[in-house]
DNA sequence: AGCATT
DNA sequence: AACGGCTAATGCG
């Protein structure tokens, strides 16, 4: 304590930092690639010095990241729709002439007008010419595809697949995609006749084995005064502890013995390694030396705290090449030798929280998430280190690193697998998967799909420009368009109630009715008679919509293959769990695709498309009610995609299901059967007892009577 | 009471 | 930074 007080009072004994590099051969490692290296593509980035995109592969044999630099002479670019001669004389272009490699004419397909068009492609020496600075071309000229990250662009253009296996044959050869042998349980589906080529590609890509990934978690402690929270932007207090927990069994706490209270006996008191240092610089140096041996770094809030703090403290203390190891972005921190996963960002992601983990945790903190998912939390909370014995802080700090690591390893590496699978679905590098939201995941894959079809990606205002007419007033004030239909419940206790529902209604509608931003109110005259019920919105009959196709294929492989595999008792648990991760990740995408279509922040937002989905949904449930009544069935309630039918003749239910399937091409199925269900006058509030005796309660919360 | 807001 | 519908609590002439 005394030394802390002294330190706080200003006696910081600032020695002149020795300019010294952290010893490492990590840079050298990247200059050569051993022939025959097998790697999984996990990351990519752009190197401004060499002006090249590069890829990060996880070497599955040596468990390190291998970096491969572009050899194809690929460059950043953007498109211009107007006259190429005019463009060449545009002042903004003239100003940037020395940074423009070429302007060439290219043929693309305009998906909104369904026609081939000639566009000018501006090829630049570096990405900032296109976008990212105030002087960039996109600030002066209306450009197309000018806001795609360059390294993402690179992956799309060369058709690289994130999460896929590659063989690296040297620095000068383009990595070649290789495929592991398809496991028999998946092969069975590949050979089946109702699986098309598109589905096959997805099946092979997603089901490929995800190996255990070597990784280390890291957590730092800062010796700050009471009541002051250390700031990564201005790291004025020393790091005095760094805890590490790795997949290869390394468990270690590095301590800078700031109060000189430890001795030789300290290390033996713990079930993990403890290394003691007498200054902060050696502590940081040692930590970097260790984590550099790991291709994947796991933190909890490392983007905004641990990594920037380490980098800035280290630089203050003269560890000058930390800037080449930890790269600080505006809102992230990346490590050059590997991949940094910040679990705080990942678990904060609404789709991860609510869909992947069913809202299991509430507060986004290490303690709360660990408590919910691992069943154990932090050690007792420490408010102020100054009063706590060093040995106790060591245990506390170690626990954080342990929990952070275990959040990636519990349930057979569920989280690591999930991250890789999302990367495969979105074709997005792991760093971005962990930091961006579901709309970005979807956008990323859609951009790649546009490239594959040679579609020029429309600007959002072009999509809007097709017209935003909505046909019905939203029920709820402040909403943009009408949503689901909820049928007025018949209050009372009803016995033998069968609930039928449409299987993933909105995604099925998007798939079956060809809903996409370019197919709703398409350009063709001959499609204008294909109307959404009760509207003047029409849907294309000539071309498959890009979003419809995407949601269709991932819906099909989820329902037809991965859901089945996840329940296949002939497979071992590890495999079942893996297939369960895949079907769960697919579900996140499938459900969100309709949602983002109705979100104006989404670049492919189109209100009439979102409204068409809900209107078809309303139409479907209304038709089902009509059909049920025709069959003499009694409908007592329904919500969005479900009908509650009282005491039905089972044959009539089957007739209803087959009739609807024939008429609407939507699958209706019996979801559950209640022995009895009690409905009130309120929608979305009921309870019932199912056939197996279990109780089902919706919307009702326990309340005290006021009397 | 009735509407707006969360 | 995924949608809308619905219930309940709270605030305010």
């Amino acid at each position: 304590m005394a030394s802390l007080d002294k330190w706080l009072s200003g006696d910081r004994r600032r020695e002149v930092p020795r300019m010294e590099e952290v010893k490492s051969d990590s840079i050298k490692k990247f200059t050569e690639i051993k022939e025959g290296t097998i790697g999984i593509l996990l990351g990519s980035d752009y190197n401004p010095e060499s002006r090249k995109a590069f890829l990060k592969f996880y070497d599955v044999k040596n468990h390190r990241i291998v970096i491969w630099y572009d050899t194809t002479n690929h460059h950043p670019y953007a498109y211009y729709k107007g006259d190429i001669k005019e463009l060449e004389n545009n002042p903004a272009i003239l100003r940037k002439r020395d940074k423009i490699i070429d302007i060439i004419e290219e043929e693309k397909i305009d998906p909104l007008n369904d026609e081939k068009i000639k566009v000018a492609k501006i090829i630049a020496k570096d990405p900032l010419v296109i976008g990212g600075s105030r002087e960039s071309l996109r600030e002066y000229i209306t450009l197309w595809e000018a806001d795609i990250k360059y390294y993402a662009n690179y992956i799309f253009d060369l058709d690289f697949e994130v999460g896929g296996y590659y063989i690296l044959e040297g620095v000068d050869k383009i990595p070649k995609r290789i495929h592991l042998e398809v496991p028999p349980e998946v092969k069975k589906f590949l050979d089946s006749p109702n699986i098309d080529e598109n589905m096959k590609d997805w099946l092979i890509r997603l089901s490929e084995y995800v190996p255990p990934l070597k990784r280390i978690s890291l957590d730092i402690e800062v010796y700050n005064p009471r009541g002051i929270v250390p700031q990564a932007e201005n790291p004025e207090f020393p790091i005095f502890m760094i805890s590490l927990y790795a997949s290869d069994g390394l468990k270690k706490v590095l301590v800078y013995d700031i109060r000189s209270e430890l001795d030789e006996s300290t290390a033996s008191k713990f079930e993990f390694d403890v290394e003691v240092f007498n200054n902060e610089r050696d502590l940081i140096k040692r930590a970097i030396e260790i984590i550099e041996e790991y291709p994947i770094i796991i933190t909890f809030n490392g983007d905004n705290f641990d990594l920037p703090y380490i980098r800035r403290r280290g630089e203050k203390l003269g560890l000058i090449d930390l800037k080449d190891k930890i790269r600080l972005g505006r809102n992230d921190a990346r490590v050059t030798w590997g991949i940094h996963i910040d679990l705080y960002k990942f678990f904060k992601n609404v789709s991860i929280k609510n869909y992947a983990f069913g809202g299991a945790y509430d507060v986004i903190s290490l303690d709360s998430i660990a408590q919910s998912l691992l069943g154990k939390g932090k050690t007792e909370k420490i408010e102020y280190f100054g009063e706590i014995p060093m040995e106790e802080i060591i245990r506390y700090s170690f626990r954080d690193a342990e929990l952070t690591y275990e959040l990636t390893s519990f349930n057979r590496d569920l989280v690591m697998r999930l991250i890789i699978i999302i990367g495969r679905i979105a074709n997005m590098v792991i760093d971005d998967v962990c930091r961006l939201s579901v709309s970005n995941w979807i956008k990323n894959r859609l951009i790649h799909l546009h490239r594959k079809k040679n579609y020029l990606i429309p600007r959002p205002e072009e999509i809007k420009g097709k017209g935003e007419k909505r046909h019905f007033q939203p029920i709820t004030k402040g909403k943009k368009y009408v949503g689901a239909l909820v049928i007025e419940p018949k209050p009372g206790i009803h016995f033998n109630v069968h609930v039928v529902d449409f299987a993933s209604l909105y995604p099925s509608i998007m798939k079956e009715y060809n809903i996409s931003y370019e197919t709703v109110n398409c350009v063709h005259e001959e499609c204008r008679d294909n109307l959404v019920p009760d509207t003047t919105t029409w849907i294309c009959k000539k071309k498959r919509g890009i979003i419809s196709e995407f949601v269709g294929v991932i819906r099909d492989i989820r329902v037809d293959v991965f859901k089945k595999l996840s329940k296949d008792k002939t497979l071992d648990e590890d495999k079942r769990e893996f297939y369960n991760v895949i079907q769960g990740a697919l579900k996140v995408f499938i459900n969100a695709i309709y949602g983002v279509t109705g979100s104006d922040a989404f670049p492919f937002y189109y209100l009439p498309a979102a409204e068409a989905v809900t209107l078809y949904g309303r139409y479907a449930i209304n038709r089902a009610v009509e059909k049920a009544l025709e069959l003499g069935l009694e409908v007592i309630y329904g919500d969005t995609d479900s009908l509650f039918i009282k005491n039905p003749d089972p044959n009539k239910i089957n007739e209803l299901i087959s009739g609807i399937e024939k008429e609407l091409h939507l699958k209706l199925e019996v979801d559950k059967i209640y022995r009895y269900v009690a409905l009130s006058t309120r929608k979305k509030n009921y309870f019932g007892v199912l056939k197996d005796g279990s109780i089902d309660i919706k919307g009702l919360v326990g309340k005290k009577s006021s009397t």
Side-chain angles (χ1 to χ4, degrees):
Chain A
M1 238 231 281
S3 67
L4 175 64
D5 294 340
K6 221 157 73 185
W7 192 86
L8 291 174
S9 67
D11 176 19
R12 279 160 224 184
R13 269 180 287 171
R14 302 246 306 262
E15 41 183 327
V16 179
R18 275 179 284 144
M19 286 307 180
E20 179 185 10
E21 298 190 358
V22 178
K23 266 199 208 95
S24 151
D25 60 347
S26 63
I27 301 301
K28 199 181 79 214
K29 272 182 197 162
F30 296 148
T31 59
E32 51 195 76
I33 291 174
K34 225 170 112 196
E35 202 179 316
T37 298
I38 296 186
I40 301 175
L41 178 58
L42 293 186
S44 73
D45 211 335
Y46 172 75
N47 182 331
E49 283 100 58
S50 61
R51 289 184 166 171
K52 279 186 197 310
F54 62 85
L55 301 176
K56 292 180 175 179
F57 292 91
Y58 182 94
D59 177 342
V60 296
K61 224 170 104 193
N62 300 303
H63 300 282
R64 62 190 185 94
I65 295 292
V66 175
I67 290 187
W68 179 81
Y69 273 85
D70 174 58
T71 56
T72 68
N73 214 20
H74 187 277
H75 297 287
Y77 61 88
Y79 293 107
Y80 177 72
K81 259 189 174 176
D83 182 69
I84 193 163
K85 289 276 176 302
E86 248 170 60
L87 178 68
E88 281 165 350
N89 293 313
N90 183 299
I93 294 281
L94 294 173
R95 264 202 308 279
K96 292 265 176 196
R97 207 164 21 196
D98 59 320
K99 288 190 168 176
I100 292 170
I101 294 171
D102 205 354
I103 299 179
I104 59 172
E105 197 172 66
E106 205 172 283
E107 190 172 88
K108 292 286 250 184
I109 295 165
D110 171 5
L112 293 179
N113 293 306
D114 190 21
E115 62 179 11
K116 288 182 181 160
I117 53 167
K118 295 262 198 282
V119 288
K121 183 180 192 176
I122 306 164
I123 304 169
K125 282 189 180 159
D126 76 76
L128 288 174
V129 175
I130 306 294
S133 93
R134 273 205 308 234
E135 277 71 50
S136 299
L137 289 176
R138 73 170 184 212
E139 306 298 320
Y140 299 92
I141 311 171
T142 303
L143 296 176
W144 275 253
E145 306 193 10
D147 49 7
I148 304 168
K149 288 189 185 108
Y150 177 58
Y151 62 79
N153 229 335
Y154 182 76
I155 288 182
F156 302 145
D157 283 349
L158 279 91
D159 249 326
F160 280 111
E161 293 177 355
V162 174
Y165 285 80
Y166 286 82
I167 183 157
L168 293 118
E169 290 165 326
V171 288
D172 53 344
K173 298 222 179 66
I174 301 174
K176 241 192 358 243
R177 181 77 161 95
I178 53 168
H179 291 280
L180 304 185
E181 203 179 326
V182 180
E185 66 271 16
V186 176
K187 182 98 183 21
K188 202 172 67 195
F189 287 101
L190 290 182
D191 298 338
S192 118
N194 41 11
I195 303 277
D196 65 26
E197 287 306 311
N198 196 7
M199 286 171 78
K200 271 187 198 171
D201 282 352
W202 277 100
L203 283 187
I204 292 169
R205 184 160 48 227
L206 295 189
S207 64
E208 265 182 317
Y209 176 64
V210 175
L213 298 165
K214 184 181 175 186
R215 58 196 185 272
I216 188 164
S217 72
L218 159 148
D219 181 61
I220 71 168
E221 311 298 340
V222 170
Y223 211 60
N224 54 299
R226 186 192 294 277
I228 296 186
V229 182
Q231 303 292 328
E233 300 74 37
N234 178 26
E236 41 178 334
F237 312 109
I239 299 169
F240 73 111
M241 206 173 286
I242 299 180
S243 295
L244 303 160
Y245 195 110
S247 54
D248 56 5
L250 179 139
K251 299 172 187 179
K252 203 184 270 287
V253 179
L254 312 178
V255 193
Y256 158 32
D257 188 14
I258 197 163
R259 298 188 303 231
S260 305
E261 68 179 65
L262 303 177
D263 55 43
E264 298 77 36
S265 71
T266 303
S268 61
K269 293 177 187 159
F270 301 94
E271 62 278 18
F272 43 85
D273 293 343
V274 174
E275 289 181 29
V276 181
F277 300 85
N278 58 22
N279 65 71
E280 186 188 3
R281 185 183 49 224
D282 287 349
L283 167 83
I284 295 175
K285 245 173 78 175
R286 177 69 178 133
I288 297 291
E289 192 179 288
I290 295 171
I291 66 174
E292 265 190 306
E293 294 301 314
Y294 292 82
I296 297 172
I297 311 298
I298 313 286
T299 66
F300 197 89
N301 203 22
D303 271 346
N304 292 312
F305 186 67
D306 302 60
L307 291 183
Y309 210 100
I310 289 177
R311 153 116 180 232
R312 293 186 181 130
R313 285 300 298 183
E315 282 186 324
K316 271 192 186 185
L317 296 166
L319 302 174
I320 53 169
D321 82 338
L322 269 185
K323 67 176 187 309
D324 298 326
K325 295 172 188 297
I326 299 172
R327 296 240 185 228
L328 302 181
R330 209 176 331 156
N331 209 17
D332 61 8
R334 306 195 183 213
V335 293
T336 48
W337 72 86
I339 311 278
H340 169 219
I341 294 175
D342 181 343
L343 292 179
Y344 172 74
K345 292 250 173 81
F346 181 72
F347 282 110
K348 204 173 129 193
N349 183 309
V350 181
S351 302
I352 295 301
K353 178 172 181 281
N354 296 331
Y355 286 87
F357 293 108
Y361 50 92
D362 213 28
V363 185
I364 317 294
S365 69
L366 180 58
D367 189 48
S368 149
I369 297 171
Q371 204 62 259
S372 315
L373 301 180
L374 307 174
K376 62 180 182 186
K378 291 188 171 221
T379 60
E380 74 298 332
K381 202 173 159 65
I382 297 182
E383 296 283 345
Y384 173 53
F385 290 132
E387 290 171 343
I388 310 291
M390 199 53 83
E391 288 177 6
E392 201 176 307
I393 309 175
I394 291 173
R395 287 192 195 284
Y396 168 88
S397 177
F398 177 74
R399 177 68 161 221
D400 279 5
E402 182 185 27
L403 293 177
T404 303
Y405 174 78
E406 285 183 358
L407 282 178
T408 70
S409 68
F410 79 99
N411 215 346
R412 300 169 189 272
D413 284 0
L414 166 79
V415 164
M416 291 308 293
R417 286 170 154 185
L418 182 58
I419 289 170
I420 301 294
I421 295 299
I422 292 170
R424 285 178 183 171
I425 300 172
N427 207 21
M428 177 183 273
V429 293
I430 295 326
D431 307 73
D432 286 348
V433 165
C434 297
R435 291 175 176 86
L436 301 175
S437 64
V438 68
S439 69
N440 286 288
W441 300 342
I442 294 167
K443 173 178 97 179
N444 210 65
R445 172 54 73 181
L446 284 174
I447 292 173
H448 196 181
L449 291 174
H450 279 75
R451 282 283 159 79
K452 286 195 166 223
K453 290 175 184 283
N454 198 31
Y455 282 5
L456 181 71
I457 299 167
R459 293 175 58 90
E461 67 266 23
E462 292 182 288
I463 301 176
K464 268 207 171 89
K466 298 203 300 173
E468 288 206 281
K469 184 179 165 53
R470 80 178 177 205
H471 292 82
F472 295 90
Q473 200 70 239
I475 309 289
T476 314
K477 220 184 121 188
K479 299 295 181 187
K480 297 191 290 284
Y481 59 92
V482 69
L485 178 69
V486 185
I487 296 168
E488 203 65 48
K490 284 187 187 165
I493 296 177
H494 308 274
F495 290 89
N496 186 29
V497 173
H498 293 224
V499 178
V500 293
D501 71 357
F502 286 99
S504 52
L505 180 65
Y506 288 179
S508 302
I509 287 171
M510 294 189 86
K511 175 196 167 191
E512 290 298 330
Y513 299 149
N514 198 24
I515 287 170
S516 185
Y517 72 85
E518 82 282 24
T519 49
V520 172
N521 297 330
C522 66
V523 69
H524 317 110
E525 275 304 316
E526 58 270 45
C527 300
R528 287 182 175 246
D529 61 349
N530 185 26
L531 293 170
V532 177
D534 307 315
T535 71
T536 56
T537 299
W538 69 92
I539 294 176
C540 191
K541 296 188 282 190
K542 294 180 70 177
K543 267 208 145 169
R544 187 72 201 272
I546 193 163
I547 297 179
S548 169
E549 187 178 4
F550 177 41
V551 75
V553 70
I554 62 175
R555 192 210 82 106
D556 288 348
I557 57 167
R558 171 171 182 259
V559 175
D560 297 348
V561 181
F562 291 113
K563 245 180 131 173
K564 287 181 179 149
L565 288 173
S566 72
K567 290 179 182 154
D568 186 341
K569 288 279 158 50
T570 66
L571 301 173
D572 67 55
E573 210 189 310
D574 189 67
K575 275 193 167 173
R576 280 210 308 269
E577 191 55 51
F578 177 53
Y579 294 128
N580 195 40
V581 170
I582 298 177
Q583 74 83 16
L586 288 167
K587 186 179 175 183
V588 170
F589 277 76
I590 292 162
N591 289 333
I593 286 172
Y594 148 71
V596 298
T597 299
S599 164
D600 50 23
F602 184 61
F604 301 102
Y605 165 68
Y606 190 44
L607 190 147
E611 191 197 35
V613 176
T614 57
L615 290 180
Y616 268 122
R618 295 176 81 100
Y619 181 74
I621 192 170
N622 275 325
R623 277 300 298 139
V625 171
E626 284 170 18
K627 193 125 213 153
L629 297 180
E630 278 168 33
L631 290 163
L633 296 166
E634 187 189 359
V635 177
I636 56 168
Y637 181 55
D639 183 352
T640 312
D641 57 1
S642 65
L643 291 185
F644 287 50
I645 299 170
K646 184 170 180 174
N647 197 22
D649 171 353
N651 294 322
K652 298 281 181 192
I653 293 266
N654 288 333
E655 252 183 83
L656 172 68
I657 289 172
S658 60
I660 285 294
E661 170 133 31
K662 215 169 142 206
E663 181 186 327
L664 301 176
H665 307 287
L666 297 172
K667 213 169 134 200
L668 197 59
E669 51 197 16
V670 179
D671 178 32
K672 52 193 172 186
I673 298 172
Y674 289 107
R675 282 186 202 163
Y676 61 88
V677 60
L679 301 181
S680 70
T681 55
R682 294 179 190 86
K683 295 169 173 181
K684 297 183 192 277
N685 278 276
Y686 59 88
F687 74 91
V689 175
L690 294 163
K691 259 198 158 169
D692 65 3
S694 61
I695 298 166
D696 204 18
I697 304 176
K698 289 284 152 70
L700 301 169
V701 274
K703 265 204 272 184
K704 269 188 183 165
S705 162
S706 55
T707 55

